[in-house]
Each structure stands twice: as structure tokens, then as C-alpha cells.
Amino acid sequence: MSRADPVTWPATGPACPAPRTDTERVLLGDGSGGKLCAALVRERFLPHFGNPILGQLGDGALLELGGGSLVVSTDTFVVRPLEFPGGDIGALAIHGTVNDVAMMGARPRYLAAGFVLEEGLEIALLDRIVATMANAAREAGVLLVTADTKVVDRGNADGLYVNTTGIGEPIPGFAPAPALARPGDRILVSGPLGRHGMAIMAAREGLALQTEIASDTANLWPLVERLHETAGADVHVLRDPTRGGLASALNEIAAAARIGVQIDEGALAVPDDVRAACELLGLDPLYVANEGVLVAFLSPDAADRALAAVRDHPLGREATLIGEAVPRHPGTVVMKTGLGGTRIVDLLPGDQLPRIC
Amino acid sequence: MSRADPVTWPATGPACPAPRTDTERVLLGDGSGGKLCAALVRERFLPHFGNPILGQLGDGALLELGGGSLVVSTDTFVVRPLEFPGGDIGALAIHGTVNDVAMMGARPRYLAAGFVLEEGLEIALLDRIVATMANAAREAGVLLVTADTKVVDRGNADGLYVNTTGIGEPIPGFAPAPALARPGDRILVSGPLGRHGMAIMAAREGLALQTEIASDTANLWPLVERLHETAGADVHVLRDPTRGGLASALNEIAAAARIGVQIDEGALAVPDDVRAACELLGLDPLYVANEGVLVAFLSPDAADRALAAVRDHPLGREATLIGEAVPRHPGTVVMKTGLGGTRIVDLLPGDQLPRIC
């Protein structure tokens, strides 16, 4: 199947924000994890900084140093509001970076943190965030080893931004990467979709939903460890579908590996409350951020035992196999819909929800 | 000599901003590198995150990983204005972090960067900053290996913040640290004081000075390499006196090593234009930030050859020996003044200049 095939297009919902019209200034959508964001990196940063390691544009980088190797990944967290059901910016700053290290097949070990505090930030709020952050680090088994604090004038930084850089220890012989997906691979998703993004959205907009949606923010290393134990090198790709949601993660993998991706709408777990909130707001859960879900591409004969191992962990109880990699339509993600049709699931230009992590 | 001895006290100039009066909110001075900043870290972060590595509060951390070792250091840059004579936030983000790694006795090798861009930032300005940053990285021999970009709404982030985390390769047997200063050590300062801070201040305030003061922002690794080659383990402490200036760096070393520090005002190199601008604004150059100067504590018999080696490099042409570590008044820095008296050079509560890096 190619893009010329008869599929429902464009994706349903407000999945197509206006394309970039201003090329002289940075747009909010440039930070979305979508097409604009990819273009910003490709056009503004890579021409200056290009090198083979950065050029891989993974969740992090695998480095050689003094005879050993390590994985490093960095992320800045600018989420609003700072606290939300299920977590806060501190928990997110640990999980987000620990997960990026884990998706490279490395055990997260150390963290560096850079705080930007707004003058006037309540000390009590800072204390709560630091406590959550420290707890999340402890639970994930990572040590904060160095940090930096800056204070900026009132009216900047929305209270607090925090950057975390994670350092992990690669598991020898285990190096999943988006480019390693192969036709035939089965695609595992470890949990239900959209909780983090919709929790943020509901908290930000003061939505009065029947049930409160809590963020799924979590350390995914235990699932990675199980996948490694049960499937080893049969785990070709690991990715946490954060900014831009599952749709963006699958598109990036399809592009990196030059394979097609075919998924089944019926196999996707979307909680009822997330689905209801998305319908209310006209959002597509495929594009909503997750912070406690991973996607794995697995050799077909390893898929079932990997699924069983993931389901055996509390974080993975609702794991499903949602589709497969195919040799057709390389670079394109196609979904069989509940109505029996198919539609292309494209990368969004910008994001449905800005500043969700 | 103890604090009860007759010395000029307090320090001259506006060296004593009002003490903290608000304990419920973050103050601008909390990000200063002075006493408030130290208290924020001690009271708000260490109780939650305390561990032996973080507790050393060095410029970075020395880590063990997979049988090897590495040094990591992180810093967020929030300087205003983004561009200034002698550099911009991009150059600073490379030099600041590379230097922190170098001060740990490690060769800077890799960098991770996290950008926070303000919606509406001019692309042309971003391009200039990224180009300077890439140049500075190339000159310093470090590779940017992974990065993250976030965009925040208009009115935040003053255009651009950037966090850089540096990873370095420790030189075996070379691990200078503030706690290793010993009585008798000679103190080397590699260049003239105050250029960076006064360049920022002049640019920010639109000061019409007779000559333009340019920031001294530079990669200090070449000087560290020379010090290692000529003095090896006789280099006890390396520190770059950035936020809080030379005075704060010396105080931190005096406190960490429980030694006294005695310096000679006549031996300090303060450029005429910096001195004039400081007098105009009522600032003390001892507390003004430097970005291309290092302080070294050296065994007395290694001091002269180390000084010669540093002076042989363009960055160190104006290096001087400014004083020594003494067994008296541990934790206190005392300066012999030009008038023949002595005064205590204390840590400031806050900073004279906020947001200089």
C-alpha cells in the first residue's frame, strides 16, 4: 500500500494545525515533537552540530569513554501546571529521562539536574516538587550526583523548569534502536494510551470530568529488564511515546527503519475517561502524550513470551500487541479502523497540546 | 588570626546586600552563587537528594560506571542579554560546562544540551547563537551528542535558556578538589579579573564606557593540561571563579579544606576598564564573575614552574601568584590591602549582579 491508496485522510479530529506561516520566529509548535519540531532540529541545529552520534537523533546517545561505554540522555521539563493528578514536574523529570536512557537498552544509574526557579516561587511548592523528584529517583534506583540552580526574575519560567540528564550503563549485546525494526516485527504497547496528556489538559483547563484522569508517569526500566530477559536481541526497538503520542513514535520508527507500520485500532487500549475527554476536546488519543507506556518492536517468535512477561508486571497489565512492521509503504503508518477501513496515521505538524512535559 | 582580629569589616563597596527577609518564596539572590544560594541548596535540595557524591558539591561529579570512570557536570545558562561583547549565551554554555569538567581534572569529551526557546524568538538570533555554540564546542574538542528542545509561550525564558551537561574523561592520578588545599599552597590566578561580569553589566545597562569591555569567556582546558603536565599531583585545587567571582571561589575552598586563605591585593590583576566600571557602579571586582580565568592551589615547590607554563599560553599571559593557604583562620579569606591593612573577604549573601551566566 502506498500513500496513493484509498485511505481516510486526513486523520480525524484536529490533527492538522495550520502549517508554519512564520519562518522568521520560533513557534510554539516547534517544541511539539511533531513535524515542526523535527524541522527545527534538522534546519537550525544539525547543520552546525552534525556528527554521527547526534545524527542518529535517538532518545539518547551511546558513548565510548576510557575503554567503557555509557548512554546519556537529556530533557528539559516545562510542563504547566507544575502539579497535576498522578504526579508533578519533579516526578516527570526523573521518569522522562530515566525512560529515555532505558529505551536505549541501558540501566539508568546517575542523574544531573539543572533547575531554573522563578523569583517568588513558593518554597513550600518547591519542597513538594523536590520531595517527589527525590522519591522518584530513589524508586528508579538512580542517584542525583550534580546539580545547578538559577533564579530568574519574576514573570519568567512559570515557577520552575528543570533539566535532567541521565547516565546509564548499557546492557552488553542489547542495543535496541528505531532503525532496527524489520518487516514482520510485532508491535507491543505496554499500557493504555493518553493518560498523561489528558491529565495535564484537564488540570490546565479546569475540566470538570466525571472521574479524575491521573498521569501514568512511571519508571519503565522494570519492563525493559523483563523484555531483555525474555526476548534479548529479539527486542529490535524500544520507544516511550511521549510528546506527539503513539502516532509520532510509530512514524519516527517507520522513517528510521524504512519500513511500513500497520496497526489495528481495535487492539489499542484507550481508557474510557481518556476517550471521553478526547471527544469532548476534539483530540485524537493516538497523538496524546504518555509517560508510563513503552512501544517495543519484537521478532515475531518472541512476541508472545515478551507480552506475557510484560503483562506479569503491574505497569504492563494492559499490554497488547497492536500490529506489525510490513515491507509495504515504508515510512508510513497505517491503521485498520473499527469500521473496517484504513487510514494513514501521519506525523502532526505541531502538537495538539503544548507543554505537556 | 581569627575573625576577632582587627580587620576592616565589612568589605568595602556594596558587598552586603540586605539579608534574606522572605523565607516563603525564592529570591533572586538565591541563584547568586553566594550565601543565599548555598543555603537554598543545603536546605531545599540536600535533605532530599543527599548522597556522598552530591554532598561533595563540586563543580561536577566523578562517577564509576561499568568498570570505568567519568566526570559529569551540568549548568543552565540564563544570561541577559543573549549577546554581549566577547560572546553570547551559546559560547558561555560551552565554556561554562567544559570548564567545570576541566576543573575536576577531566578532559571534556561530550556534551548534552537542553534548549528552552521562547515563542517568537527570532530565528536569525537563534542561528547566530547556535553557530557560536557549535564553534566553541569544536574549538574545545567536545561533541554535542544529544539534545532536547522545548518551546514556551511568549513572555517566558527571555528568548532562550540553555542547559549543558558535560562528560569528561578523568586523567588517571589527577583529581584536584577544593578539600585538598593545604597550608603552604601557593595560589595562582590565570588572568585578569572581572571582564565577563562587567561586559554583561555594561551591555545590560547600556553603559557608555570609554572602551568596550569584552567578556573573557574561554575554554580553560589548555591551561589545565599545562598545569597537569608541569605540576601533576602538586595541583591540589582547580576552580573557575564564575558566579560570585574570585572572592566566592576562595571562600568555598577555604571552607572545604578548613584552611585560611591570605591574598595580596597588589598581586591581583584588574584591568583598568573593569576597575573604572566597577568604581562607577560601586561594585567590587573580587566578586564579579569571570568565565576565562582559573584559580589553582599548588604545592609551594611547583608554583613557579606552573606559573611559567600557564604564562606561556595566550590565556594565561597575565597569570600571577596572588597569595597562599595558611593554617590560621580556617574558613576565612583575608586580603592585605594596598594601604597596608588587612580585610576579611567574605562570601556575599546574594550577588552584586544577577543572571550573568
Side-chain angles (χ1 to χ4, degrees):
Chain A
M1 197 181 114
S2 77
R3 291 220 175 181
D5 288 354
V7 293
T8 315
W9 170 264
T12 55
C16 285
R20 183 182 197 104
T21 53
D22 184 345
T23 56
E24 292 179 1
R25 292 181 180 277
V26 170
L27 306 179
L28 206 49
D30 286 328
S32 64
K35 281 182 182 172
L36 284 176
C37 190
L40 183 84
V41 170
R42 199 173 54 238
E43 292 165 16
R44 308 266 77 91
F45 292 98
L46 285 187
H48 294 287
F49 282 115
N51 63 62
I53 304 175
L54 183 66
Q56 291 169 19
L57 296 179
D59 277 332
L62 175 64
L63 307 177
E64 303 299 322
L65 193 83
S69 64
L70 64 136
V71 158
V72 62
S73 181
T74 196
D75 226 329
T76 310
F77 298 84
V78 299
V79 65
R80 290 175 314 157
L82 295 174
E83 300 181 295
F84 44 82
D88 66 15
I89 192 172
L92 215 52
I94 299 296
H95 296 149
T97 290
V98 157
N99 290 347
D100 282 348
V101 169
M103 295 307 125
M104 302 277 298
R107 177 188 295 274
R109 291 283 308 278
Y110 301 109
L111 279 178
F115 294 87
V116 178
L117 309 179
E118 179 184 354
E119 182 188 11
L121 175 69
E122 271 182 64
I123 295 284
L125 173 57
L126 175 63
D127 284 348
R128 289 199 301 277
I129 290 168
V130 170
T132 316
M133 192 169 168
N135 256 332
R138 215 166 2 247
E139 281 176 17
V142 291
L143 273 190
L144 181 76
V145 290
T146 190
D148 172 63
T149 311
K150 292 292 190 310
V151 180
V152 296
D153 322 64
R154 237 171 250 271
N156 282 295
D158 289 311
L160 185 159
Y161 300 150
V162 55
N163 174 285
T164 45
T165 299
I167 293 176
E169 192 165 0
I171 300 181
F174 186 60
L180 301 183
R182 299 177 210 165
D185 279 357
R186 306 290 301 276
I187 305 170
L188 179 151
V189 171
S190 68
L193 297 177
R195 280 189 176 149
H196 176 71
M198 294 320 294
I200 295 297
M201 191 66 177
R204 193 184 297 168
E205 304 300 329
L207 290 189
L209 302 172
Q210 280 196 311
T211 54
E212 186 182 72
I213 302 175
S215 168
D216 61 344
T217 182
N219 162 33
L220 292 168
W221 172 252
L223 296 187
V224 174
E225 208 166 23
R226 273 161 195 249
L227 284 168
H228 171 251
E229 283 162 12
T230 52
D234 284 327
V235 182
H236 298 156
V237 184
L238 290 174
R239 195 89 186 193
D240 55 335
T242 55
R243 278 192 286 185
L246 180 64
S248 303
L250 293 177
N251 269 282
E252 283 165 28
I253 296 163
R258 298 168 196 276
I259 46 128
V261 166
Q262 203 161 305
I263 62 174
D264 180 355
E265 189 172 28
L268 298 174
V270 181
D272 288 342
D273 50 3
V274 169
R275 191 179 297 276
C278 278
E279 278 174 13
L280 193 68
L281 296 163
L283 300 174
D284 184 338
L286 272 181
Y287 294 90
V288 175
N290 315 281
E291 293 288 345
V293 172
L294 66 75
V295 182
F297 279 56
L298 302 151
S299 292
D301 49 342
D304 288 333
R305 66 173 187 275
L307 179 66
V310 167
R311 279 194 174 158
D312 194 40
H313 189 277
L315 277 176
R317 290 252 159 78
E318 298 179 63
T320 48
L321 296 172
I322 64 157
E324 58 184 346
V326 295
R328 303 178 300 281
H329 54 79
T332 301
V333 179
V334 170
M335 182 165 79
K336 282 190 274 182
T337 67
L339 300 173
T342 57
R343 70 168 170 104
I344 288 178
V345 178
D346 200 9
L347 211 53
L348 291 191
D351 195 359
Q352 303 183 118
L353 307 177
R355 303 189 57 184
I356 42 78
C357 65
Chain B
M1 197 180 117
S2 76
R3 291 222 175 177
D5 288 354
V7 293
T8 315
W9 170 263
T12 55
C16 286
R20 184 183 196 104
T21 52
D22 184 345
T23 56
E24 290 178 3
R25 290 181 181 277
V26 169
L27 305 179
L28 206 49
D30 286 328
S32 63
K35 281 182 184 173
L36 284 177
C37 190
L40 183 83
V41 170
R42 200 173 54 239
E43 293 165 16
R44 307 265 78 90
F45 292 97
L46 285 188
H48 294 287
F49 282 113
N51 63 62
I53 304 175
L54 183 66
Q56 291 168 20
L57 296 180
D59 277 332
L62 175 64
L63 307 177
E64 302 300 322
L65 193 83
S69 64
L70 65 136
V71 158
V72 61
S73 181
T74 196
D75 225 330
T76 309
F77 298 84
V78 299
V79 65
R80 289 173 317 156
L82 295 174
E83 300 182 293
F84 44 82
D88 64 16
I89 191 171
L92 214 54
I94 299 296
H95 296 149
T97 291
V98 157
N99 290 347
D100 281 348
V101 169
M103 295 307 126
M104 302 277 299
R107 177 189 294 274
R109 292 282 309 276
Y110 299 109
L111 279 177
F115 294 88
V116 178
L117 310 179
E118 180 184 355
E119 182 188 9
L121 175 69
E122 271 181 65
I123 295 283
L125 173 57
L126 175 62
D127 283 348
R128 291 200 299 278
I129 289 168
V130 171
T132 316
M133 192 169 168
N135 256 331
R138 219 168 356 251
E139 282 176 18
V142 290
L143 273 191
L144 181 75
V145 289
T146 190
D148 172 63
T149 312
K150 291 292 189 311
V151 179
V152 296
D153 321 64
R154 239 170 248 274
N156 283 295
D158 288 310
L160 185 157
Y161 301 150
V162 55
N163 173 284
T164 45
T165 299
I167 293 176
E169 193 166 358
I171 300 182
F174 186 62
L180 300 182
R182 300 176 208 166
D185 279 356
R186 306 289 301 277
I187 304 169
L188 179 151
V189 170
S190 69
L193 298 177
R195 280 189 176 147
H196 177 70
M198 294 319 294
I200 295 297
M201 191 67 177
R204 192 184 298 169
E205 305 299 331
L207 291 188
L209 303 172
Q210 280 196 312
T211 55
E212 185 182 74
I213 303 175
S215 168
D216 61 345
T217 182
N219 163 31
L220 293 167
W221 172 251
L223 296 186
V224 174
E225 209 167 21
R226 274 160 196 248
L227 284 167
H228 171 251
E229 282 162 13
T230 53
D234 285 327
V235 182
H236 298 155
V237 185
L238 291 174
R239 195 92 186 188
D240 55 335
T242 54
R243 276 193 288 184
L246 180 63
S248 302
L250 293 176
N251 268 283
E252 283 165 29
I253 296 164
R258 299 167 194 276
I259 47 128
V261 167
Q262 203 161 304
I263 62 173
D264 181 356
E265 188 171 29
L268 299 175
V270 181
D272 288 342
D273 49 3
V274 169
R275 191 180 297 277
C278 278
E279 278 173 12
L280 193 68
L281 297 163
L283 300 174
D284 184 338
L286 271 181
Y287 293 90
V288 175
N290 315 281
E291 293 288 346
V293 172
L294 66 76
V295 182
F297 280 56
L298 302 150
S299 292
D301 50 343
D304 288 333
R305 65 174 190 275
L307 180 66
V310 167
R311 280 194 174 157
D312 194 40
H313 188 278
L315 277 177
R317 289 252 160 78
E318 298 178 65
T320 49
L321 297 172
I322 63 157
E324 59 185 347
V326 295
R328 302 179 301 283
H329 54 80
T332 302
V333 178
V334 169
M335 182 166 79
K336 284 190 273 183
T337 67
L339 300 172
T342 56
R343 70 167 170 104
I344 288 178
V345 178
D346 200 9
L347 209 54
L348 291 191
D351 195 358
Q352 303 184 117
L353 308 177
R355 303 189 57 183
I356 42 77
C357 65

